[in-house]
Amino acid sequence: MRALGALRRFPLTASVLLVLIGTAVLTGTTGADPALRREIGAAVRGPVSGWLTSAAWCADTSSLVVAVLATVVLLGPAERRLGSRPALGALAAGQVLGTAIGLAVVGALAAAGDTWAREISGIVVLGPFAGVLAAAGLATARSPALWRRRVRLLLTLTLTALVLYSGTTGDVVRLCGWLLGLGAGLLLGPVQEVTAPHPSRREGRALVAIVLTVTALGPLLAALSRTPDGPWAVVSHLFVSAPPDHALLHAVCGPGGDRADCRVLEARARLTGHGPALLSVLPVVLQLVLAEGLRRGRRAAWGGAVLLSSALSVVGALVVLTVVATPAEELPMLGVRPGSLPAASVVAPLVAPLAVLVLLVVTRSRFDVRARPGSGRRWLLAAGLGITVVAVAYVSAGSMVSGALVRPPSAGALLLDLPSRMLPPGYLGEIVPRLVSLHGSARLLADWTGVAMWTVLLATAIFVVRPAPPTGDAVRARALVDRHGEGPLSFMTTWVGNRYWFADDGAAVVAYRVVGGVALTTGDPVGPPAARRAAVLRFTDWCEEHGWTPCWYAVTDEVADALVGTGARRLQVAAETWLPLAGLSFTGRRWQDVRTALNRARREGVEARWTSWSEAPLALREQLARLSEEWLADKGLPEMGFTLGGLDELADDAVRCLVAVGRDGEVLGLTSWLPARRAGRPVGWTLDVMRRARTAPPGVVEFLIATALLTFQEEGAEFTSLSGAPLALPPGSGDGSGLTRLLTAAGRLMEPVYGFRSLLAFKAKFQPRYRPLWLVYPGTADLPRIAQAVSRAYLPDLSLPQAARLTEALVRGHRRPVRSPEQPAPVRA
């Protein structure tokens, strides 16, 4: 029954699978027969009919398996998003046009004299890949923003890498089909508005990890390919060294041959077996481990990736210099194609790792999750000890089997030979170990020493890649927050990125960040009431002693009053929406919208579920992550930080999440709540993250907030804070000064983009009390620096292109009506 249901839902996908498998079974071939390939395949000088008929056959059994998987994974979702008939049109057009364009590109390059294109111009292309990829590319335009970006990046990088490294005509055709589908999607327009790509910090980490993964696997896959012909295929020789031709070896090493060239070929002839094979793979495994660390935001993984990319760039530069300095007639000795290498091949070993290095440097601020203090020292100790053990074993064993080496070595010679054992085999045949092993135990030692050293590095990398539990100042600050963190922003003291100042007696703590010489606090000091006022004055003096401008940001009247008489000035920057829970009930006309939201959720079967990030099932966490990333991607704006939380802040077990789930299990909305504690007991909760799915019915966010208020009331909490909205003040707030008017104008300017004023109006549905949040600063002359510091704190990753797109969004936003507060954009509090 399920199979019949799938056939009805995906008739095109089922038909393509039937054609592929049926053709292979009925004809008894997968296209391996040369005569059949020429008849039905697509080639540069082949029949035009082959552009379409080539889709029904595959080159071999492995290609058939890949084609079936691609049809299920790519064409199935495309058919679901586009519909069967549009998907059929995209499949057919993509197969014909993608194949025609790819063959035309290869033919044009071959006619222009390109060596690579001439070599592949005779290849016959089989398989439905161009059409399937074109349909998938078109379907991404109708995909949610998160997956639209991920799929486009992953497939574009993968297909481009295949062209550069493997470089067959089929690779070119597949890339052309994919680009054709992407272009059609951009021209025809998606269902959702295409927005500027502003991934969140978490998503940005994942995208960088994808880039590192693809660039790590590309050369290895080319090396394992039977015929790597791409412009960058020369890089594969850094990983795998093909054994030299026996006739060439006999000619070079025979009478009259060159002894240096003979030594190179003999060394390459020995670079085979399980040990060298592992030595080819382990550096790639290290890059994959670092990519996973990057996905998790580890600063240590970023540092390791930078070091590795730098080393590969240096090696690549040496390769480029070697190739440039080598006469063309000697290049065959390096294991590459006869004749001069094209420019693209010459620079490939340098360009690929250098591009990754530049990307890592540009995105450095995204990787701020520190390792456990002392992890670097422990890793150096463990790795150094392990490598020392391997080195001692190598020298000892090498001395014992010296007779099996070409030249009996000394201990010093063995140590000098050790680094070359870590290089992947090949290296264009130029880097040959000083000591050439002949046979037996010496060969075994040479093959496995490098593997042992790489294994040590991988095994000890856990010290710097694994997550670090809070220690030191972070633990002290968390203890104070748990005992005395009753302020609306107190829990934000514990967030990553803060620095801590403690009172002399340790009774109070101030969380702050230094941005451009400005010490920017995260709310009020945390501590007993008697210690907070003294902490305000002492921290202010301490900042001035260190040459920083003290700036108390988003603080309550308590801090502002403590600085009266010191010459400090205050400016209201937000209004906290505060709700006492005693006697709260949703009765009366003013609560009509909230009651309507509760009743609608009940009718439509929407359920509110309490959870925490660590307790949530993996499937639920995936939905929450997708919801948050798609929301941010659809807004097309840089992610804001500082006092605005995101998914990273949900990982704390003290943070409670309330999720709206529909009848079908789909997540429709999310709110997260930060605890406010007094004497270790929660006395209040502050709203932080707020998300609403695009497909959610109206009133989902109101339903979640109302449910949370009732829950907290039942639990005996005293208050709930819906937090504040930056640059948005309720009517009648402020002192009417020029600065207040300037702040109001800034809020009005940012409204079409971030909707802070609409957010404040939305929170007014819950009849809150407004409590001012202040910016307290030394003097008017400091305001430009403070404004810049606050902007950088909220938008730490803002680049010049993003700033330009943000300005464009502001201008565009003022040309269209703003969404009403009754239907607010899902904005974080």
Side-chain angles (χ1 to χ4, degrees), residues 801-827:
Q802 287 178 331
R805 288 194 292 265
L806 178 59
T807 303
E808 179 186 357
L810 288 171
V811 174
R812 187 173 62 248
H814 279 282
R815 293 174 181 167
R816 62 172 181 258
V818 182
R819 191 192 307 249
S820 67
E822 286 72 24
Q823 293 180 330
V827 189

Side-chain angles (χ1 to χ4, degrees), residues 569-829:
R569 299 170 180 267
R570 70 172 72 181
L571 175 67
Q572 186 176 354
V573 293
E576 180 198 0
T577 45
W578 187 79
L579 288 81
L581 295 178
L584 175 68
S585 63
F586 303 139
T587 58
R589 185 174 181 180
R590 296 185 304 171
W591 293 96
Q592 179 62 46
D593 289 344
V594 176
R595 292 197 303 272
T596 300
L598 289 169
N599 293 333
R600 175 189 283 270
R602 229 176 273 119
R603 287 196 310 270
E604 299 188 1
V606 179
E607 177 187 357
R609 298 179 186 174
W610 283 104
T611 187
S612 65
W613 187 260
S614 62
E615 294 175 351
L618 179 60
L620 180 59
R621 289 204 301 267
E622 286 295 323
Q623 284 201 68
L624 294 176
R626 186 168 64 248
L627 169 66
S628 182
E629 297 292 348
E630 289 174 358
W631 168 81
L632 184 65
D634 278 335
K635 288 181 72 66
L637 302 171
E639 182 182 27
M640 300 185 76
F642 192 27
T643 62
L644 300 176
L647 288 185
D648 287 342
E649 284 69 35
L650 298 186
D652 195 306
D653 286 338
V655 177
R656 298 173 68 177
C657 299
L658 185 60
V659 184
V661 182
R663 284 195 179 99
D664 57 357
E666 179 187 5
V667 172
L668 302 174
L670 162 70
T671 57
S672 72
W673 301 86
L674 311 178
R677 290 184 169 132
R678 185 188 308 131
R681 184 180 67 87
V683 295
W685 296 88
T686 299
L687 176 63
D688 182 30
V689 175
M690 186 162 60
R691 299 284 190 268
R692 177 181 179 274
R694 186 188 306 111
T695 57
V700 163
V701 178
E702 291 92 329
F703 162 67
L704 287 174
I705 294 177
T707 302
L709 294 177
L710 295 175
T711 300
F712 298 146
Q713 185 184 50
E714 293 174 1
E715 294 174 350
E718 298 176 7
F719 68 89
T720 295
S721 173
L722 300 185
S723 193
L727 303 179
L729 303 179
S733 299
D735 54 9
S737 65
L739 287 176
T740 300
R741 292 196 298 272
L742 181 62
L743 185 70
T744 302
R748 190 178 301 113
L749 175 67
M750 299 292 290
E751 175 62 18
V753 176
Y754 284 108
F756 294 134
R757 293 156 65 93
S758 298
L759 175 62
L760 186 66
F762 167 73
K763 292 177 180 179
K765 295 181 179 182
F766 298 92
Q767 316 307 317
R769 299 180 186 178
Y770 296 106
R771 306 200 305 185
L773 295 176
W774 302 97
L775 169 71
V776 184
Y777 56 99
T780 305
D782 297 307
L783 277 178
R785 295 176 62 210
I786 291 173
Q788 184 182 21
V790 172
S791 300
R792 288 174 58 189
Y794 274 112
L795 295 169
D797 302 318
L798 185 66
S799 62
L800 288 177
Q802 287 178 331
R805 288 194 292 265
L806 178 59
T807 303
E808 179 186 357
L810 288 171
V811 174
R812 187 173 62 248
H814 279 282
R815 293 174 181 167
R816 62 172 181 258
V818 182
R819 191 192 307 249
S820 67
E822 286 72 24
Q823 293 180 330
V827 189
R828 286 170 296 172

Side-chain angles (χ1 to χ4, degrees), residues 36-61:
L36 178 63
R37 291 168 68 97
R38 287 193 297 270
E39 288 294 328
I40 52 88
V44 173
R45 287 176 288 274
V48 175
S49 60
W51 298 353
L52 182 61
T53 59
S54 59
W57 274 266
C58 292
D60 48 39
T61 304

Side-chain angles (χ1 to χ4, degrees), residues 378-518:
R378 285 189 290 272
W379 175 75
L380 288 175
L381 180 62
L385 180 61
I387 290 177
T388 300
V389 170
V390 174
V392 171
Y394 180 68
V395 172
S396 302
S399 300
M400 295 172 61
V401 299
S402 59
L405 299 173
V406 173
R407 291 178 300 173
S410 64
L414 285 167
L415 284 175
L416 291 175
D417 180 68
L418 187 59
S420 63
R421 298 298 174 186
M422 293 188 67
L423 290 175
Y427 187 48
L428 299 179
E430 287 297 288
I431 302 299
V432 179
R434 296 169 180 267
L435 305 177
V436 180
S437 56
L438 294 176
H439 57 268
S441 55
R443 175 74 180 274
L444 187 68
L445 186 65
D447 286 352
W448 291 93
T449 299
V451 174
M453 296 183 73
W454 278 106
T455 303
V456 168
L457 292 177
L458 283 169
T460 56
I462 189 174
F463 285 108
V464 291
V465 175
R466 67 180 178 182
T471 57
D473 288 349
V475 171
R476 293 176 61 194
R478 182 58 177 262
L480 286 171
V481 169
D482 288 342
R483 289 198 305 270
H484 307 291
E486 58 186 293
L489 303 184
S490 293
F491 193 81
M492 297 178 187
T493 298
T494 65
W495 286 0
V496 173
N498 287 330
R499 298 160 70 174
Y500 301 106
W501 174 91
F502 293 91
D504 294 337
D505 58 0
V509 62
V510 176
Y512 69 98
R513 307 179 185 206
V514 178
V515 183
V518 176

Side-chain angles (χ1 to χ4, degrees), residues 241-284:
S241 178
D245 181 73
H246 180 73
L248 177 64
L249 182 64
H250 184 269
V252 173
C253 295
D258 187 272
R259 290 181 59 85
D261 288 344
C262 177
R263 182 169 176 266
V264 170
L265 290 179
E266 286 180 338
R268 285 180 53 200
R270 296 184 179 94
L271 292 176
T272 56
H274 298 299
L278 277 176
L279 196 57
S280 300
V281 173
L282 286 176
V284 177

